[in-house]
PDB file of all heavy atoms in Angstrom:
ATOM      1  N   ARG A   2       0.808  -1.227   0.000  1.00 80.00           N
ATOM      2  CA  ARG A   2       0.003  -0.004  -0.002  1.00 80.00           C
ATOM      3  C   ARG A   2       0.840   1.271   0.002  1.00 80.00           C
ATOM      4  O   ARG A   2       0.336   2.349  -0.287  1.00 80.00           O
ATOM      5  CB  ARG A   2      -0.940   0.003   1.204  1.00 80.00           C
ATOM      6  CG  ARG A   2      -2.107  -0.963   1.079  1.00 80.00           C
ATOM      7  CD  ARG A   2      -3.051  -0.828   2.248  1.00 80.00           C
ATOM      8  NE  ARG A   2      -2.470  -1.344   3.483  1.00 80.00           N
ATOM      9  CZ  ARG A   2      -2.891  -1.026   4.697  1.00 80.00           C
ATOM     10  NH1 ARG A   2      -3.885  -0.183   4.851  1.00 80.00           N
ATOM     11  NH2 ARG A   2      -2.332  -1.548   5.760  1.00 80.00           N
ATOM     12  N   LYS A   3       2.110   1.176   0.316  1.00 82.00           N
ATOM     13  CA  LYS A   3       2.987   2.353   0.295  1.00 82.00           C
ATOM     14  C   LYS A   3       3.623   2.561  -1.068  1.00 82.00           C
ATOM     15  O   LYS A   3       4.417   3.478  -1.247  1.00 82.00           O
ATOM     16  CB  LYS A   3       4.069   2.191   1.365  1.00 82.00           C
ATOM     17  CG  LYS A   3       3.528   2.179   2.789  1.00 82.00           C
ATOM     18  CD  LYS A   3       4.653   2.084   3.804  1.00 82.00           C
ATOM     19  CE  LYS A   3       4.099   2.098   5.234  1.00 82.00           C
ATOM     20  NZ  LYS A   3       5.195   2.015   6.240  1.00 82.00           N
ATOM     21  N   GLY A   4       3.312   1.729  -2.001  1.00 83.00           N
ATOM     22  CA  GLY A   4       3.936   1.804  -3.313  1.00 83.00           C
ATOM     23  C   GLY A   4       3.153   2.636  -4.305  1.00 83.00           C
ATOM     24  O   GLY A   4       2.360   3.516  -3.929  1.00 83.00           O
ATOM     25  N   ASP A   5       3.332   2.330  -5.569  1.00 86.00           N
ATOM     26  CA  ASP A   5       2.741   3.132  -6.635  1.00 86.00           C
ATOM     27  C   ASP A   5       2.311   2.237  -7.793  1.00 86.00           C
ATOM     28  O   ASP A   5       2.504   2.573  -8.940  1.00 86.00           O
ATOM     29  CB  ASP A   5       3.749   4.185  -7.113  1.00 86.00           C
ATOM     30  CG  ASP A   5       3.108   5.265  -7.955  1.00 86.00           C
ATOM     31  OD1 ASP A   5       1.898   5.487  -7.807  1.00 86.00           O
ATOM     32  OD2 ASP A   5       3.820   5.868  -8.788  1.00 86.00           O
ATOM     33  N   ALA A   6       1.742   1.085  -7.471  1.00 95.00           N
ATOM     34  CA  ALA A   6       1.311   0.150  -8.506  1.00 95.00           C
ATOM     35  C   ALA A   6      -0.218   0.098  -8.523  1.00 95.00           C
ATOM     36  O   ALA A   6      -0.833  -0.858  -8.053  1.00 95.00           O
ATOM     37  CB  ALA A   6       1.910  -1.223  -8.275  1.00 95.00           C
ATOM     38  N   ASP A   7      -0.821   1.157  -9.052  1.00 97.00           N
ATOM     39  CA  ASP A   7      -2.278   1.204  -9.203  1.00 97.00           C
ATOM     40  C   ASP A   7      -2.692   0.493 -10.489  1.00 97.00           C
ATOM     41  O   ASP A   7      -1.883   0.291 -11.409  1.00 97.00           O
ATOM     42  CB  ASP A   7      -2.756   2.650  -9.286  1.00 97.00           C
ATOM     43  CG  ASP A   7      -2.376   3.484  -8.072  1.00 97.00           C
ATOM     44  OD1 ASP A   7      -2.552   2.972  -6.943  1.00 97.00           O
ATOM     45  OD2 ASP A   7      -1.899   4.618  -8.248  1.00 97.00           O
ATOM     46  N   GLY A   8      -3.979   0.178 -10.551  1.00 98.00           N
ATOM     47  CA  GLY A   8      -4.488  -0.327 -11.819  1.00 98.00           C
ATOM     48  C   GLY A   8      -4.574   0.785 -12.855  1.00 98.00           C
ATOM     49  O   GLY A   8      -3.978   0.702 -13.941  1.00 98.00           O
ATOM     50  N   PHE A   9      -5.302   1.858 -12.516  1.00 98.00           N
ATOM     51  CA  PHE A   9      -5.444   3.036 -13.371  1.00 98.00           C
ATOM     52  C   PHE A   9      -5.169   4.265 -12.510  1.00 98.00           C
ATOM     53  O   PHE A   9      -5.595   4.316 -11.362  1.00 98.00           O
ATOM     54  CB  PHE A   9      -6.871   3.145 -13.928  1.00 98.00           C
ATOM     55  CG  PHE A   9      -7.327   1.975 -14.733  1.00 98.00           C
ATOM     56  CD1 PHE A   9      -7.866   0.843 -14.112  1.00 98.00           C
ATOM     57  CD2 PHE A   9      -7.244   1.989 -16.121  1.00 98.00           C
ATOM     58  CE1 PHE A   9      -8.307  -0.246 -14.861  1.00 98.00           C
ATOM     59  CE2 PHE A   9      -7.693   0.901 -16.876  1.00 98.00           C
ATOM     60  CZ  PHE A   9      -8.223  -0.215 -16.243  1.00 98.00           C
ATOM     61  N   ALA A  10      -4.529   5.286 -13.078  1.00 97.00           N
ATOM     62  CA  ALA A  10      -4.255   6.504 -12.295  1.00 97.00           C
ATOM     63  C   ALA A  10      -4.063   7.693 -13.201  1.00 97.00           C
ATOM     64  O   ALA A  10      -3.708   7.552 -14.376  1.00 97.00           O
ATOM     65  CB  ALA A  10      -3.005   6.303 -11.423  1.00 97.00           C
ATOM     66  N   CYS A  11      -4.327   8.880 -12.646  1.00 95.00           N
ATOM     67  CA  CYS A  11      -3.937  10.106 -13.337  1.00 95.00           C
ATOM     68  C   CYS A  11      -3.372  11.089 -12.321  1.00 95.00           C
ATOM     69  O   CYS A  11      -3.795  11.131 -11.171  1.00 95.00           O
ATOM     70  CB  CYS A  11      -5.088  10.716 -14.121  1.00 95.00           C
ATOM     71  SG  CYS A  11      -6.388  11.486 -13.157  1.00 95.00           S
ATOM     72  N   ASN A  12      -2.384  11.856 -12.761  1.00 91.00           N
ATOM     73  CA  ASN A  12      -1.691  12.818 -11.911  1.00 91.00           C
ATOM     74  C   ASN A  12      -2.465  14.133 -11.804  1.00 91.00           C
ATOM     75  O   ASN A  12      -3.502  14.316 -12.436  1.00 91.00           O
ATOM     76  CB  ASN A  12      -0.292  13.081 -12.464  1.00 91.00           C
ATOM     77  CG  ASN A  12       0.599  11.856 -12.469  1.00 91.00           C
ATOM     78  OD1 ASN A  12       1.432  11.686 -13.345  1.00 91.00           O
ATOM     79  ND2 ASN A  12       0.458  10.989 -11.481  1.00 91.00           N
ATOM     80  N   ASP A  13      -1.910  15.049 -11.006  1.00 86.00           N
ATOM     81  CA  ASP A  13      -2.436  16.414 -10.954  1.00 86.00           C
ATOM     82  C   ASP A  13      -2.353  17.050 -12.340  1.00 86.00           C
ATOM     83  O   ASP A  13      -1.593  16.630 -13.204  1.00 86.00           O
ATOM     84  CB  ASP A  13      -1.623  17.259  -9.977  1.00 86.00           C
ATOM     85  CG  ASP A  13      -1.794  16.784  -8.546  1.00 86.00           C
ATOM     86  OD1 ASP A  13      -2.886  16.333  -8.203  1.00 86.00           O
ATOM     87  OD2 ASP A  13      -0.812  16.878  -7.782  1.00 86.00           O
ATOM     88  N   ARG A  14      -3.137  18.128 -12.491  1.00 89.00           N
ATOM     89  CA  ARG A  14      -3.137  18.923 -13.734  1.00 89.00           C
ATOM     90  C   ARG A  14      -3.558  18.100 -14.948  1.00 89.00           C
ATOM     91  O   ARG A  14      -3.107  18.324 -16.061  1.00 89.00           O
ATOM     92  CB  ARG A  14      -1.772  19.606 -13.951  1.00 89.00           C
ATOM     93  CG  ARG A  14      -1.427  20.591 -12.838  1.00 89.00           C
ATOM     94  CD  ARG A  14      -0.132  21.323 -13.105  1.00 89.00           C
ATOM     95  NE  ARG A  14       1.000  20.431 -13.148  1.00 89.00           N
ATOM     96  CZ  ARG A  14       1.612  19.939 -12.059  1.00 89.00           C
ATOM     97  NH1 ARG A  14       1.166  20.260 -10.859  1.00 89.00           N
ATOM     98  NH2 ARG A  14       2.641  19.150 -12.169  1.00 89.00           N
ATOM     99  N   THR A  15      -4.427  17.114 -14.698  1.00 94.00           N
ATOM    100  CA  THR A  15      -5.181  16.490 -15.766  1.00 94.00           C
ATOM    101  C   THR A  15      -6.622  16.998 -15.676  1.00 94.00           C
ATOM    102  O   THR A  15      -7.041  17.482 -14.634  1.00 94.00           O
ATOM    103  CB  THR A  15      -5.147  14.955 -15.639  1.00 94.00           C
ATOM    104  OG1 THR A  15      -5.575  14.592 -14.319  1.00 94.00           O
ATOM    105  CG2 THR A  15      -3.747  14.415 -15.880  1.00 94.00           C
ATOM    106  N   LYS A  16      -7.367  16.869 -16.750  1.00 93.00           N
ATOM    107  CA  LYS A  16      -8.691  17.517 -16.758  1.00 93.00           C
ATOM    108  C   LYS A  16      -9.666  16.701 -17.612  1.00 93.00           C
ATOM    109  O   LYS A  16      -9.324  16.253 -18.708  1.00 93.00           O
ATOM    110  CB  LYS A  16      -8.558  18.936 -17.314  1.00 93.00           C
ATOM    111  CG  LYS A  16      -9.817  19.762 -17.251  1.00 93.00           C
ATOM    112  CD  LYS A  16      -9.542  21.181 -17.733  1.00 93.00           C
ATOM    113  CE  LYS A  16     -10.796  22.038 -17.666  1.00 93.00           C
ATOM    114  NZ  LYS A  16     -10.538  23.419 -18.154  1.00 93.00           N
ATOM    115  N   ASN A  17     -10.881  16.560 -17.089  1.00 95.00           N
ATOM    116  CA  ASN A  17     -11.981  15.950 -17.827  1.00 95.00           C
ATOM    117  C   ASN A  17     -11.637  14.517 -18.264  1.00 95.00           C
ATOM    118  O   ASN A  17     -11.315  14.258 -19.426  1.00 95.00           O
ATOM    119  CB  ASN A  17     -12.390  16.797 -19.037  1.00 95.00           C
ATOM    120  CG  ASN A  17     -12.848  18.186 -18.646  1.00 95.00           C
ATOM    121  OD1 ASN A  17     -13.277  18.425 -17.511  1.00 95.00           O
ATOM    122  ND2 ASN A  17     -12.734  19.130 -19.566  1.00 95.00           N
ATOM    123  N   VAL A  18     -11.738  13.619 -17.327  1.00 97.00           N
ATOM    124  CA  VAL A  18     -11.404  12.215 -17.573  1.00 97.00           C
ATOM    125  C   VAL A  18     -12.635  11.352 -17.297  1.00 97.00           C
ATOM    126  O   VAL A  18     -13.300  11.509 -16.272  1.00 97.00           O
ATOM    127  CB  VAL A  18     -10.242  11.764 -16.659  1.00 97.00           C
ATOM    128  CG1 VAL A  18      -9.950  10.276 -16.851  1.00 97.00           C
ATOM    129  CG2 VAL A  18      -8.987  12.599 -16.937  1.00 97.00           C
ATOM    130  N   THR A  19     -12.920  10.437 -18.204  1.00 98.00           N
ATOM    131  CA  THR A  19     -14.013   9.479 -18.042  1.00 98.00           C
ATOM    132  C   THR A  19     -13.442   8.066 -18.127  1.00 98.00           C
ATOM    133  O   THR A  19     -12.729   7.735 -19.076  1.00 98.00           O
ATOM    134  CB  THR A  19     -15.092   9.665 -19.102  1.00 98.00           C
ATOM    135  OG1 THR A  19     -15.686  10.960 -18.969  1.00 98.00           O
ATOM    136  CG2 THR A  19     -16.184   8.606 -18.971  1.00 98.00           C
ATOM    137  N   VAL A  20     -13.787   7.250 -17.131  1.00 98.00           N
ATOM    138  CA  VAL A  20     -13.385   5.842 -17.118  1.00 98.00           C
ATOM    139  C   VAL A  20     -14.666   5.014 -17.052  1.00 98.00           C
ATOM    140  O   VAL A  20     -15.424   5.119 -16.086  1.00 98.00           O
ATOM    141  CB  VAL A  20     -12.464   5.534 -15.925  1.00 98.00           C
ATOM    142  CG1 VAL A  20     -11.982   4.090 -15.998  1.00 98.00           C
ATOM    143  CG2 VAL A  20     -11.275   6.488 -15.897  1.00 98.00           C
ATOM    144  N   ARG A  21     -14.890   4.185 -18.044  1.00 98.00           N
ATOM    145  CA  ARG A  21     -16.169   3.488 -18.158  1.00 98.00           C
ATOM    146  C   ARG A  21     -15.965   2.011 -18.494  1.00 98.00           C
ATOM    147  O   ARG A  21     -15.200   1.658 -19.397  1.00 98.00           O
ATOM    148  CB  ARG A  21     -17.022   4.138 -19.253  1.00 98.00           C
ATOM    149  CG  ARG A  21     -18.391   3.512 -19.448  1.00 98.00           C
ATOM    150  CD  ARG A  21     -19.150   4.142 -20.604  1.00 98.00           C
ATOM    151  NE  ARG A  21     -19.326   5.574 -20.409  1.00 98.00           N
ATOM    152  CZ  ARG A  21     -18.902   6.493 -21.270  1.00 98.00           C
ATOM    153  NH1 ARG A  21     -18.249   6.138 -22.349  1.00 98.00           N
ATOM    154  NH2 ARG A  21     -19.110   7.776 -21.017  1.00 98.00           N
ATOM    155  N   GLY A  22     -16.649   1.169 -17.756  1.00 98.00           N
ATOM    156  CA  GLY A  22     -16.655  -0.260 -18.069  1.00 98.00           C
ATOM    157  C   GLY A  22     -15.313  -0.939 -17.889  1.00 98.00           C
ATOM    158  O   GLY A  22     -15.014  -1.919 -18.575  1.00 98.00           O
ATOM    159  N   CYS A  23     -14.513  -0.461 -16.942  1.00 98.00           N
ATOM    160  CA  CYS A  23     -13.176  -1.026 -16.729  1.00 98.00           C
ATOM    161  C   CYS A  23     -13.128  -1.884 -15.459  1.00 98.00           C
ATOM    162  O   CYS A  23     -13.937  -1.716 -14.553  1.00 98.00           O
ATOM    163  CB  CYS A  23     -12.139   0.083 -16.632  1.00 98.00           C
ATOM    164  SG  CYS A  23     -11.924   1.010 -18.168  1.00 98.00           S
ATOM    165  N   LYS A  24     -12.151  -2.765 -15.426  1.00 98.00           N
ATOM    166  CA  LYS A  24     -11.977  -3.656 -14.279  1.00 98.00           C
ATOM    167  C   LYS A  24     -10.539  -3.562 -13.779  1.00 98.00           C
ATOM    168  O   LYS A  24      -9.593  -3.646 -14.567  1.00 98.00           O
ATOM    169  CB  LYS A  24     -12.298  -5.102 -14.670  1.00 98.00           C
ATOM    170  CG  LYS A  24     -12.237  -6.086 -13.524  1.00 98.00           C
ATOM    171  CD  LYS A  24     -12.656  -7.483 -13.983  1.00 98.00           C
ATOM    172  CE  LYS A  24     -12.625  -8.474 -12.834  1.00 98.00           C
ATOM    173  NZ  LYS A  24     -13.027  -9.845 -13.275  1.00 98.00           N
ATOM    174  N   SER A  25     -10.398  -3.381 -12.476  1.00 98.00           N
ATOM    175  CA  SER A  25      -9.073  -3.293 -11.854  1.00 98.00           C
ATOM    176  C   SER A  25      -9.032  -4.254 -10.668  1.00 98.00           C
ATOM    177  O   SER A  25      -9.824  -4.116  -9.739  1.00 98.00           O
ATOM    178  CB  SER A  25      -8.805  -1.851 -11.403  1.00 98.00           C
ATOM    179  OG  SER A  25      -7.506  -1.711 -10.901  1.00 98.00           O
ATOM    180  N   HIS A  26      -8.104  -5.200 -10.690  1.00 98.00           N
ATOM    181  CA  HIS A  26      -8.094  -6.193  -9.618  1.00 98.00           C
ATOM    182  C   HIS A  26      -6.689  -6.709  -9.333  1.00 98.00           C
ATOM    183  O   HIS A  26      -5.809  -6.703 -10.198  1.00 98.00           O
ATOM    184  CB  HIS A  26      -9.026  -7.366  -9.962  1.00 98.00           C
ATOM    185  CG  HIS A  26      -8.641  -8.122 -11.203  1.00 98.00           C
ATOM    186  ND1 HIS A  26      -7.862  -9.260 -11.163  1.00 98.00           N
ATOM    187  CD2 HIS A  26      -8.944  -7.903 -12.506  1.00 98.00           C
ATOM    188  CE1 HIS A  26      -7.708  -9.719 -12.401  1.00 98.00           C
ATOM    189  NE2 HIS A  26      -8.346  -8.922 -13.233  1.00 98.00           N
ATOM    190  N   ASN A  27      -6.498  -7.101  -8.086  1.00 98.00           N
ATOM    191  CA  ASN A  27      -5.251  -7.725  -7.639  1.00 98.00           C
ATOM    192  C   ASN A  27      -4.019  -6.865  -7.883  1.00 98.00           C
ATOM    193  O   ASN A  27      -2.932  -7.364  -8.187  1.00 98.00           O
ATOM    194  CB  ASN A  27      -5.082  -9.091  -8.310  1.00 98.00           C
ATOM    195  CG  ASN A  27      -6.193 -10.059  -7.957  1.00 98.00           C
ATOM    196  OD1 ASN A  27      -7.151 -10.206  -8.727  1.00 98.00           O
ATOM    197  ND2 ASN A  27      -6.090 -10.711  -6.804  1.00 98.00           N
ATOM    198  N   ASN A  28      -4.186  -5.544  -7.743  1.00 97.00           N
ATOM    199  CA  ASN A  28      -3.051  -4.631  -7.806  1.00 97.00           C
ATOM    200  C   ASN A  28      -2.577  -4.345  -6.383  1.00 97.00           C
ATOM    201  O   ASN A  28      -3.367  -4.316  -5.446  1.00 97.00           O
ATOM    202  CB  ASN A  28      -3.454  -3.325  -8.505  1.00 97.00           C
ATOM    203  CG  ASN A  28      -3.935  -3.585  -9.922  1.00 97.00           C
ATOM    204  OD1 ASN A  28      -3.162  -3.963 -10.792  1.00 97.00           O
ATOM    205  ND2 ASN A  28      -5.233  -3.385 -10.162  1.00 97.00           N
TER     206      ASN A  28
END
């Protein structure tokens, strides 16, 4: 949990993001 291995991620200074119908598991 202290690491940086996400399934999906976006950093600061991103704008207008849509994530639809996705699956994230066992990360």
Side-chain angles (χ1 to χ4, degrees):
R2 287 184 290 161
K3 295 183 179 180
D5 194 25
D7 301 315
F9 301 85
C11 72
N12 297 146
D13 293 326
R14 298 184 297 281
T15 53
K16 186 176 181 181
N17 300 336
V18 176
T19 297
V20 184
R21 181 184 301 122
C23 294
K24 184 177 181 180
S25 185
H26 62 94
N27 298 97
N28 300 292

